[in-house]
Amino acid sequence: MAYWLGTTKTSYTLTEGITFGAGNNPTNNKWIVRAWFGSKYLELARDLPGNANTTVPLNWGSQKGNALMRVMGGSRSITTSKINAIMYDSGNWSDSGGNHQVFTMDLPNVTFTIPDDGLFNPKLSASFSLINALNGQWVQNKTTALITSTAEAAPGASIEGVANTFTADGDVWWGESVTKTTPITKAGTFQIKTETQDTRKLRKEIFTTINVLPYHSPRINTFTLQRCNSSGALDANGTYAKVTYNYEVKNISGNTATAVFQYLNGSTWTSIKTLTGSTGNSSFVTGNICPTNTETQFRVILTDKFESVTHTGSITPARAWMGFSQQGDAMVCGREYNQATDAGKTITARPFVAESHAYFDKKLIFNTAEAIKSLVDRLYPIGISLPFKEGVNPNTLFPGTTWQEMANVIESTITSGQCINNSDCNASNGGKVAMYQMDGTFASKWRFYLAPLNDTGTSIKTPWWLRTA
């Protein structure tokens, strides 16, 4: 008599498969097995040998397993209304007849379940294309990547999404196909987790280990310029420059370094030295490119594989002196006399004229009066009080400024070493000393000044002026 193995089992996982068999049946007997879901069925087996045990695979990849998962859809399990097994004894089974049915059995309410054991979870892969990398390695704060991920759900389900997570700080980059990462701010060895989930809530995750190289921007620690002679000795009137520098770039495999030193030649930056070491700490002397009467500008540009930084500096004009005429209508400027280079030279004086151009503190001044006022503002700021020779008015001497003569100035002469009231007396050496008492906030203060003498030997009044604007 025929029988069906496992007739009492009512639940299966798809990894098990389902087994059919017979005992002492004739060799020409065969089985057909169908799983019914109401009025519809899914054929699990056809033309199985009637005299041997046969296991029908239901895993992902098998014809029957894929078909059963499609019937399940987004569900993780499904229950049949019955499983019907029929043994027949001739030819191949046909629903239209022509077969002799030998034995039939119905097994009701059989449940099939998709296990969460990895065999039915989504299939997932990820590859990385690095941008701004060094020798195929990530670089801190610089390298990004295009992550190409492919996820496939088991039959009957679909992928809900793919995420790539940088596990060190939790940054998540979403994308089912191609995703561009952000630069990683840390250095060291880390993992990026790529994960996906299907509509059955089955998950798959893979990990990619990455090594992030440490990096910092190029650094110019020192860039100083000094006027010197051709041998590098400091010289206030030299026409050469001594350039002292200290720089560094991050010394990691594949990085490059270029330090270019330039000076402004008219309107063109001209290179005078180029270094390619990852660090530099030295000095050099330029050519004869620093005239004494003008400023010479310099810069250094430090560049590596990723960034470029620039520092600037200048050699100022050689030490200069400035003077004014007593009337305030003329100004003279000049550098310090150098016996070695200036001896025998003819110096021609040329006065400034109205609307002639002049410079003060790198600011273009358009006439002499404005240039004088700019200097006066530096030397004699508002609020200062100064003595001027009697008859000299600073309002006239310094156009554009306002001065007020200080009142109640009382002149006294005293004998040297004594303090007396407002009575004249001769100093022991016959000279005269003028003493002034100031009013306002200076009422309680006494100041003493050596007063010039006139032709008759008496002191001359020296008025004090206060700058108010």
Side-chain angles (χ1 to χ4, degrees), residues 291-322:
T292 57
N293 59 340
T294 60
E295 179 183 48
T296 305
Q297 298 185 46
F298 291 83
R299 72 180 182 185
V300 56
I301 305 171
L302 182 60
T303 305
D304 70 358
K305 187 78 172 181
F306 304 102
E307 295 183 23
S308 180
V309 296
T310 301
H311 278 209
T312 60
S314 65
I315 292 289
T316 58
R319 189 161 57 196
W321 302 94
M322 178 178 289

Side-chain angles (χ1 to χ4, degrees), residues 56 71 87 95 105 128 168-169 172 249 256 332 390 437 453 457:
V56 177
V71 175
M87 179 180 285
D95 289 333
M105 173 177 276
F128 295 77
D169 57 15
V172 178
V249 302
T256 58
V332 62
E390 187 173 14
Q437 180 182 14
L453 302 178

Side-chain angles (χ1 to χ4, degrees), residues 227 235-240 288-297 315-321 333-336 341-342 345 350 358-360 362:
R227 191 177 285 277
D235 184 348
N237 292 308
T239 55
Y240 298 76
N288 185 7
I289 58 175
C290 302
T292 57
N293 59 340
T294 60
E295 179 183 48
T296 305
Q297 298 185 46
I315 292 289
T316 58
R319 189 161 57 196
W321 302 94
C333 298
R335 62 174 173 81
E336 185 177 289
T341 58
D342 295 333
K345 288 184 178 179
R350 184 170 58 187
Y359 284 88
F360 182 76
K362 300 183 182 179

Side-chain angles (χ1 to χ4, degrees), residues 178-200:
V178 177
T179 303
K180 187 175 187 298
T181 70
T182 53
I184 295 175
T185 59
K186 298 177 172 63
T189 301
F190 308 104
Q191 286 188 323
I192 294 179
K193 179 175 70 173
T194 303
E195 57 186 326
T196 188
Q197 177 175 286
D198 67 14
T199 50
R200 293 190 181 113

Side-chain angles (χ1 to χ4, degrees), residues 34-50:
R34 291 170 174 171
W36 289 82
F37 306 95
S39 60
K40 298 181 178 181
Y41 69 84
L42 174 65
E43 189 170 278
L44 298 180
R46 173 184 284 265
D47 301 329
L48 293 178

Side-chain angles (χ1 to χ4, degrees), residues 217-228:
S217 299
R219 296 170 179 170
I220 300 175
N221 304 312
T222 302
F223 181 55
T224 59
L225 302 160
Q226 296 171 295
R227 191 177 285 277
C228 67

